Amino acid sequence: MHIHEFQDMMRRLYFHRDAERGVKGTYDWLKDELDELWEALEEKDMKAAEKEFADVIAWLASLANITGINLEKAAINKYNDKCPKCQQSPCCCTF
Amino acid sequence: MHIHEFQDMMRRLYFHRDAERGVKGTYDWLKDELDELWEALEEKDMKAAEKEFADVIAWLASLANITGINLEKAAINKYNDKCPKCQQSPCCCTF
């Protein structure tokens, strides 16, 4: 599934709710999902972690939808088969 | 670009660094990028926000790589063209 297809799916499922909730509210949900992801990883509960990874990318796509960002284009524009900082693959940044 | 292709790209670019840093360190970077995304959105700087969206999905993919999670499969398994809670499209959850 393309990143944009997943973003479109989130639009179909949730845009009406995301738009009503607004940017701050949707961002806060995304942060909460990230916390839940950490809890699952800390517990080494990989079944739960898998679901939380799905939720994080879902809420990220929801936030992209209500802020007018194309997540796939953003990702490809910045990460074009090389590290945007050192321009190498693999990355050879020294920091 | 498929979600798994983007995750593979992050593996090629950064796995060596991500694995050395470890799960907690990589998760912390992801959290930081989410904070930076908020700063850009608060400033309504959409050019900056676009780059931060890219960074968030990149770090999420990095974290998925070092924890052995297939982000695309996780996303599709949970969000299969309907809300996982109410099983409808669009979502009609009442909460």
Side-chain angles (χ1 to χ4, degrees):
Chain A
M1 177 175 279
H2 289 260
I3 298 172
H4 79 263
E5 290 174 317
F6 185 74
Q7 185 171 351
D8 288 345
M9 189 204 299
M10 291 302 111
R11 182 184 301 275
R12 287 193 303 275
L13 293 182
Y14 298 117
F15 186 83
H16 58 302
R17 305 184 68 103
D18 297 334
E20 189 178 334
R21 183 189 316 106
V23 176
K24 181 60 166 66
T26 303
Y27 175 83
D28 286 343
W29 269 93
L30 174 54
K31 273 198 83 171
D32 287 348
E33 294 298 340
L34 202 55
D35 289 340
E36 291 181 16
L37 173 55
W38 177 247
E39 287 169 25
L41 290 173
E42 234 184 349
E43 297 288 313
K44 294 185 171 44
D45 183 347
M46 298 320 290
K47 276 207 173 292
E50 188 173 6
K51 291 176 183 172
E52 301 302 343
F53 267 106
D55 287 343
V56 172
I57 194 173
W59 282 94
L60 186 68
S62 276
L63 186 61
N65 280 330
I66 62 170
T67 54
I69 296 288
N70 180 321
L71 196 50
E72 180 166 336
K73 278 191 183 167
I76 294 174
N77 283 348
K78 183 147 187 186
Y79 295 94
N80 186 16
D81 258 331
K82 53 189 186 296
C83 173
K85 287 198 167 92
C86 67
Q87 299 291 306
Q88 301 297 315
S89 174
C91 162
C92 61
C93 289
T94 52
F95 62 95
Chain B
M1 178 176 278
H2 289 261
I3 298 171
H4 79 263
E5 290 174 316
F6 185 76
Q7 185 172 352
D8 287 345
M9 187 203 302
M10 290 304 111
R11 181 185 302 276
R12 287 193 302 275
L13 294 182
Y14 297 115
F15 188 84
H16 58 301
R17 306 184 67 103
D18 296 334
E20 189 177 331
R21 183 189 316 106
V23 176
K24 182 62 166 64
T26 303
Y27 175 82
D28 286 343
W29 267 93
L30 173 54
K31 273 198 83 168
D32 286 347
E33 294 298 338
L34 202 56
D35 290 340
E36 290 183 16
L37 172 55
W38 177 247
E39 286 170 22
L41 290 174
E42 233 185 347
E43 296 287 315
K44 293 182 170 48
D45 183 347
M46 300 319 289
K47 277 207 170 292
E50 190 174 3
K51 292 176 183 172
E52 301 303 342
F53 268 105
D55 286 344
V56 171
I57 195 174
W59 282 95
L60 186 67
S62 276
L63 186 61
N65 280 329
I66 60 171
T67 53
I69 296 289
N70 180 322
L71 196 51
E72 181 166 336
K73 278 192 183 166
I76 294 173
N77 283 347
K78 183 148 188 186
Y79 294 94
N80 186 15
D81 259 330
K82 52 189 187 296
C83 173
K85 287 198 168 94
C86 66
Q87 300 290 307
Q88 300 296 318
S89 173
C91 160
C92 61
C93 288
T94 50
F95 62 94

